[in-house]
């Protein structure tokens, strides 16, 4: 399959989502405790920046405190995750693709079954390899 508009949309969605994630980390101080998971001590550490936020917590913060545009970017990214999984199901030489993108096969296999696990950096890596190999 040649590289086309769908693939470009996946790359754009991943890049935009990375930008929104950065914005979400800036909004952490304004977030209420119910947007986080864990014990009160863990929530405190997450708010202070000593613990990493989960992707679900970041989505909660964006949904609660982000603009309408930010919320749309999150929806576009979720759609791009599904499209990537579908695109890779039809791709031959998946082992070569994953090796070139430096993504372990077991990790990719888990993401094939749960597309919401794809990270924006991984999506961009895979799409760049697809473009380069013209798959």
């Amino acid at each position: 399959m040649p590289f086309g508009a769908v693939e470009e949309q996946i790359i754009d969605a991943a890049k935009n989502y990375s930008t929104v994630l950065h914005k979400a980390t800036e909004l952490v101080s304004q977030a209420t405790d119910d947007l986080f998971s864990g014990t009160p001590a863990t929530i405190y550490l997450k708010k202070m920046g000593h613990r990493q936020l989960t992707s679900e917590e970041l989505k909660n913060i964006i949904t609660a405190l982000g603009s309408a545009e930010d919320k749309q970017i999150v929806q576009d990214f979720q759609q791009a995750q599904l499209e990537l999984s579908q695109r890779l199901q039809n791709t031959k030489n998946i082992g070569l693709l994953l090796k070139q993108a430096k993504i372990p096969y077991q990790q990719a296999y888990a993401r094939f079954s749960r597309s919401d696990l794809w990270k924006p950096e991984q999506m961009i890596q895979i799409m760049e390899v697809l473009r380069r190999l013209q798959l």
Side-chain angles (χ1 to χ4, degrees):
M1 292 177 76
F3 206 78
V6 172
E7 289 80 1
E8 290 295 336
Q9 288 175 347
I10 292 172
I11 291 173
D12 290 343
K15 288 179 180 178
N16 292 339
Y17 187 71
S18 294
T19 304
V20 169
L21 288 181
H22 181 69
K23 182 178 179 182
T25 57
E26 295 170 358
L27 295 172
V28 168
S29 62
Q30 301 171 14
T32 58
D33 290 351
D34 62 329
L35 298 176
F36 299 94
S37 61
T39 64
T42 303
I43 292 170
Y44 173 76
L45 291 173
K46 287 179 179 182
K47 280 188 162 187
M48 298 306 293
H50 299 297
R51 281 269 175 106
Q52 188 172 5
L53 299 172
T54 65
S55 61
E56 193 64 34
E57 290 168 336
L58 289 168
K59 287 178 190 175
N60 290 342
I61 291 169
I62 293 167
T63 302
L65 303 172
S67 66
E69 182 181 336
D70 296 339
K71 294 172 189 176
Q72 184 62 45
I73 288 172
V74 170
Q75 290 176 350
D76 292 344
F77 179 71
Q78 291 171 338
Q79 182 63 33
Q81 288 173 316
L82 290 172
E83 290 173 359
L84 177 65
S85 291
Q86 292 171 353
R87 172 72 164 87
L88 293 178
Q89 287 176 356
N90 300 330
T91 303
K92 296 179 181 178
N93 302 325
I94 192 74
L96 173 66
L97 173 70
L98 294 174
K99 185 176 180 180
Q100 297 246 337
K102 297 180 178 131
I103 298 174
Y105 182 76
Q106 292 294 1
Q107 191 178 66
Y109 184 75
R111 282 155 173 70
F112 292 148
S113 58
R114 282 196 51 210
S115 62
D116 61 310
L117 295 176
W118 284 113
K119 296 179 181 176
E121 311 84 43
Q122 293 175 327
M123 294 172 68
I124 293 169
Q125 287 173 322
I126 286 175
M127 297 314 292
E128 292 299 327
V129 171
L130 281 171
R131 178 185 287 156
R132 189 175 67 239
L133 296 177
Q134 298 178 355
L135 292 176

